Each structure stands twice: as structure tokens, then as C-alpha cells.
Amino acid sequence: MPRSTIARIDTNAIRQNYRRALALGNGTRAMAVIKADGYGHGIRDVAVALKDEAPKFAVACIEEAHAIREAGVSQPVVLLQGPHSDQDIGTSEAEGFELVIHSEHQLNWLDQQAVVPVLWIKVNSGMNRLGFSPADLEGVMARLEAAGHGQKITGFVTHFACADDPSSDFTAQQTDCFARAVAPWPHLEKSLGNSAAHFREGQSLYDWSRPGIMLYGASPMINTFGPDLDLEPAMTLEAELTSVRTIQAGEAVGYGGSFKATQETRMGIVAVGYGDGYPRHAGTDTPAWVNGRRIRLIGRVSMDMLAVDLNNAPNAKPGDRVELWGKNISVDEVARHAGTIGYELLTGVTVRVPRVRE
């Protein structure tokens, strides 16, 4: 019989979160970002869940775009990193993939092509990862026109560095930089809004926003949990209690004996660990949930199991289901205890954890 550690995927929550992005966008269209295997939720399942909602999808690379087609979803797919080889250009034109162009070597590949797909031009507005500087944009556009590709340029994109921080004014600076850079081409579309930008009051999202983490119910904002933003958690990571015992005051638990009981403690072992993607650095006091009661982790997380304090759930017994994150425990709260972000936890759930679509 297989181990019962699973990740339940609520596709209706994904749809509801997409609609939340649309509502916050106030008329802006939204391309659903489903890269990294749908942020760990299963790219094919997410694409199918949103095929009647999203007019366009966005991914990181062509392998992810192919997975969307394999799921029978035909909407345009934007490759946010553009082509990784010249062969990606012809494939993208044939499959209806749209390419974000951000570098000189990609322009060189385009120079060699007679036919190219729809193109987006990335502007470096201050994040300094990818994109052409505003000063170089006129030359890039002239080069594409000279190569005969001008009619394939649909618009411009940029990406925010600090939109998750409401106290930062850098997003306003980037927005202004982007607006000035693309002003000579008012007929072309614009996309600059990531998930966090949806929650910044007064932030323009222009023609296309790009909701990502918010689709899965986790918060894109610092010091905020998804439910605080009316986002519905889409993944519930759960496993069963495999053992229950009582330890006495002074007894230690797990590797290194990092937890020592200060009182008689009813302790449970849960069949999940860092081999499943649960964060090893989530230590004592990280919350979990069993039988309608909030409980806490104790000691170090092991590869295949972890320990919990059941004093607050006296009726819990072997075989009961424990929620590690999901509807009752926000993945953002677990991430805070582990010193990371919800993005990493959701995308880090390993392949040995079956995704069960609901």
C-alpha cells in the first residue's frame, strides 16, 4: 500500500485566485504564469484548470510551453526568458509561443530567421537581470524593423524588483522609467505587473498583468499571508500520523536532541520530511493542523518524518491526517518559520509526493 503523504490541489481555488487578479487589475488582461510546474501544482493540471479563464499563459522556457500543448491547451504561451537556442524560434512560430527578447545574442538569432513568432521586448527598468537599457531601445527596435520583424513586435515587458515591499518607492521609479522608455511606441502593448503589483494601490498594470504566486494562494507581499489578501490556498500538503507516544520532561527528540521536553508531552511522528520538500529549517513551534486543532513541530525535520507536539490535540491517533500547510495553515506562515518564502516551499515539493487534483 502506498504511503499516504500527498499534495491535494484545489483547481477551483486557482480559478478563484485568477479572477481575483482580474478584479484587482480593473480591466487589465492577465496572462497566467504557470512556470516551475505550475509553481509545484502540476503545469498540465493548472493549464487545464485555467483554459476557459486565461487568454494567455506565461512560462520560463520552451519545455514548459510544450507541456501546456500536451495538455490540450491552445492559448498563446509567452516564454519569459525567450529563446534558449535559435531552434526555439521556429518551434515557437509553429506552436503559437511568444518570445520575450532581452539580449544581443537573441537578436543575432532573429537576424538569421525569415519567419519569427510574436515578440515582446524586455526593458531593464532597474532590476538589472535581463532586458535592454532604455538608451538602447531605439536601436533594438530599428534593428528588428530592418530585419523585417517589426510587425511581429506586440509589446514591451519589464519586471519589478521591490513590488512586494509597500514601503519602497522603487516600483514607482521603475514604472516611470518603463513608461518613458516605451513612449515612442504608444501603439504597442505593455506588461509590467507581477503578482505583488496587483496589491499596490494606484499601480498601473497597463495592458497585461502577469499573476504568478497569487494564483496558488500564497502571498506576494512581505509580512503578509495569502488569506490576508483574500487568496485561496490551492495546495494542501498532508501526511498521516504513524506513531504516537508520550515523552517525559527532560527527554529529547530527534537528531541532535535539539528539542527537550519541559513537561510530559504527547508526541506524534508524521510521515513527511525534507525528502518530500518540507523545509528542514522549519523547527520547533512551526505550526501544523490535525483534527481541527493547531499543533506545533518539535525538534529537527528528518528526511522522511518529523515530530509534533500533540498536547493540544489529545485525541489524535495513528492514521489521522496532518495538514502541514493548506486551508488551515498558510504556506506563508510555514515559510516564515523556515526563513524562506512560500514560492520555494510550493515549488520544492518533490516528485515522490503525488498531486491529487480536486
Side-chain angles (χ1 to χ4, degrees), residues 15-311:
R15 286 187 286 270
Q16 288 299 112
N17 293 331
Y18 178 81
R19 293 166 192 161
R20 174 93 169 115
L22 289 179
L24 291 167
N26 195 28
T28 296
R29 290 169 290 175
M31 59 177 82
V33 182
I34 62 174
K35 61 184 180 176
D37 196 30
Y39 285 59
H41 293 66
I43 190 170
R44 292 170 178 81
D45 286 342
V46 175
V48 170
L50 292 176
K51 70 177 182 178
D52 295 327
E53 306 271 346
K56 195 178 297 236
F57 292 94
V59 296
C61 55
I62 201 164
E63 295 90 340
E64 295 173 332
H66 282 308
I68 294 173
R69 291 290 180 263
E70 290 165 4
V73 177
S74 59
Q75 279 96 321
V77 182
V78 179
L79 275 61
L80 296 174
Q81 292 185 8
H84 284 266
S85 76
D86 58 351
Q87 296 178 351
D88 290 350
I89 297 172
T91 300
S92 295
E93 198 281 330
E95 293 287 345
F97 304 153
E98 302 179 3
L99 298 178
V100 173
I101 303 301
H102 57 75
S103 62
E104 177 74 18
H105 70 274
Q106 291 175 331
L107 291 175
N108 292 337
W109 291 335
L110 290 173
D111 285 342
Q112 302 165 18
Q113 306 292 322
V115 178
V116 302
V118 171
L119 303 175
W120 293 83
I121 309 303
K122 186 153 194 175
V123 180
N124 178 15
S125 59
M127 191 167 188
N128 290 317
R129 289 194 313 187
L130 301 175
F132 299 103
S133 71
D136 292 337
L137 204 54
E138 184 176 354
V140 169
M141 297 296 283
R143 179 172 173 177
L144 289 168
E145 287 282 357
H149 304 323
Q151 294 302 310
K152 289 298 186 79
I153 304 172
T154 194
F156 300 98
V157 302
T158 196
H159 195 60
F160 290 139
C162 301
D164 60 335
D165 183 357
S167 68
S168 172
D169 63 358
F170 193 57
T171 301
Q173 295 176 36
Q174 284 192 266
T175 301
D176 180 65
C177 174
F178 178 76
R180 286 186 285 106
V182 304
W185 303 275
H187 61 291
L188 294 180
E189 295 183 330
K190 305 171 188 66
S191 174
L192 77 170
N194 57 3
S195 286
H198 291 77
F199 297 97
R200 295 184 67 92
E201 186 175 355
Q203 174 63 49
S204 175
L205 299 179
Y206 288 99
D207 302 294
W208 287 95
S209 71
R210 303 192 303 275
I213 192 64
M214 68 178 294
L215 299 180
Y216 312 98
S219 173
M221 309 300 289
I222 60 174
N223 300 321
T224 307
F225 299 161
D228 300 332
L229 302 173
D230 294 327
L231 299 174
E232 298 185 16
M235 179 192 289
T236 298
L237 179 65
E238 62 179 49
E240 71 174 25
L241 279 171
T242 60
S243 174
V244 174
R245 69 177 62 197
T246 298
I247 59 174
Q248 302 302 314
E251 289 192 284
V253 175
Y255 287 119
S258 62
F259 172 83
K260 288 188 177 181
T262 59
Q263 61 180 343
E264 183 177 277
T265 301
R266 194 162 179 265
M267 183 195 76
I269 297 297
V270 186
V272 67
Y274 62 78
D276 302 293
Y278 192 86
R280 182 177 181 273
H281 295 295
T284 296
D285 291 332
T286 302
W289 186 269
V290 65
N291 295 348
R293 306 297 295 271
R294 189 178 174 97
I295 58 174
R296 64 173 185 148
L297 271 64
I298 53 177
R300 290 184 187 170
V301 175
S302 302
M303 182 180 289
D304 309 306
M305 65 189 83
L306 54 80
V308 291
D309 178 347
L310 294 175
N311 280 353

